[in-house]
Amino acid sequence: MVINAMERIMKELLDEYKHGLHIKCTCSECMDDILALSLNQTKPRYVTNIDKVMYVKAEFIDKQEMTTLLVKLAECAKLVSDKPLCQTQGV
Amino acid sequence: MVINAMERIMKELLDEYKHGLHIKCTCSECMDDILALSLNQTKPRYVTNIDKVMYVKAEFIDKQEMTTLLVKLAECAKLVSDKPLCQTQGV
């Protein structure tokens, strides 16, 4: 089993800042689109067991590192908000 | 749900070439270590549903792209083979 620790970190960040990011549609489709877009711009940090995710997380306690992730998330949230692909809002 | 298509692609490649790569120990721990190491050097390609993995896979039909992945896998297989961390062979 391999896990990309960044998947967990980004998902928690998105859940935490969802409201602060003024995302127009917070349906699961849009949340997945934002997550996929931001993960595709983030260096993967694969570990081989769930306990090791914590060690990667610890590196992001550093304000600067966390801010970089949040900026990426905000950019992707804007992209999806501007052009949502989901059924509720989408094309 | 988000999935890194490269996880599937690399896993299939490892299963296919496992014997050709002359990996000393093919226990699940060593296979995971090789997979995690190679995925950490590969640009992630997250998609939001399993059907889309196929579109990413199609890009790797190109010999050159596939060879690049295989070289990465072989390098990581050597790293793990030289210093296995698993119980069967490890430190």
Side-chain angles (χ1 to χ4, degrees):
Chain A
M1 168 185 141
V2 288
I3 309 156
N4 182 6
M6 297 315 296
E7 239 177 83
R8 303 284 160 124
I9 294 168
M10 275 300 203
K11 192 167 181 333
E12 282 169 19
L13 213 55
L14 182 54
D15 289 345
E16 189 182 335
Y17 286 93
K18 191 156 61 173
H19 303 297
L21 291 171
H22 311 297
I23 301 170
K24 238 183 267 170
C25 175
T26 52
C27 75
S28 67
E29 204 175 325
C30 282
M31 292 293 104
D32 278 354
D33 285 342
I34 294 170
L35 202 52
L37 277 175
S38 24
L39 285 166
N40 281 338
Q41 299 173 29
T42 308
K43 189 169 174 4
R45 302 289 304 270
Y46 276 87
V47 292
T48 53
N49 77 53
I50 193 89
D51 306 333
K52 293 182 188 165
V53 169
M54 223 180 11
Y55 296 110
V56 179
K57 245 189 221 174
E59 290 175 37
F60 289 90
I61 287 173
D62 168 319
K63 282 278 162 294
Q64 183 53 45
E65 293 281 329
M66 192 52 99
T67 310
T68 315
L69 290 187
L70 204 48
V71 165
K72 243 174 239 179
L73 208 57
E75 281 164 5
C76 296
K78 187 169 183 328
L79 274 175
V80 174
S81 262
D82 291 353
K83 282 210 186 81
L85 295 177
C86 69
Q87 310 317 328
T88 21
Q89 301 261 346
V91 290
Chain B
M1 167 188 156
V2 290
I3 310 154
N4 182 6
M6 297 316 294
E7 238 177 85
R8 304 280 159 127
I9 294 168
M10 275 299 203
K11 191 167 183 332
E12 283 169 19
L13 212 56
L14 183 54
D15 288 346
E16 189 183 336
Y17 287 92
K18 190 156 60 173
H19 303 298
L21 291 171
H22 311 297
I23 302 170
K24 237 183 268 169
C25 175
T26 53
C27 75
S28 66
E29 202 175 328
C30 282
M31 292 293 103
D32 278 355
D33 285 341
I34 294 169
L35 203 51
L37 275 175
S38 25
L39 285 166
N40 281 338
Q41 298 173 29
T42 308
K43 189 168 177 0
R45 302 289 304 271
Y46 276 88
V47 292
T48 52
N49 77 53
I50 193 88
D51 307 334
K52 293 182 188 166
V53 170
M54 222 179 14
Y55 296 109
V56 179
K57 246 191 220 172
E59 291 176 34
F60 289 90
I61 288 172
D62 169 324
K63 283 280 161 293
Q64 183 52 46
E65 293 280 342
M66 192 52 99
T67 311
T68 315
L69 291 187
L70 204 47
V71 166
K72 242 173 240 177
L73 209 56
E75 282 163 5
C76 296
K78 187 170 184 325
L79 273 175
V80 174
S81 261
D82 290 351
K83 283 210 186 81
L85 295 176
C86 69
Q87 310 316 328
T88 21
Q89 302 261 344
V91 292

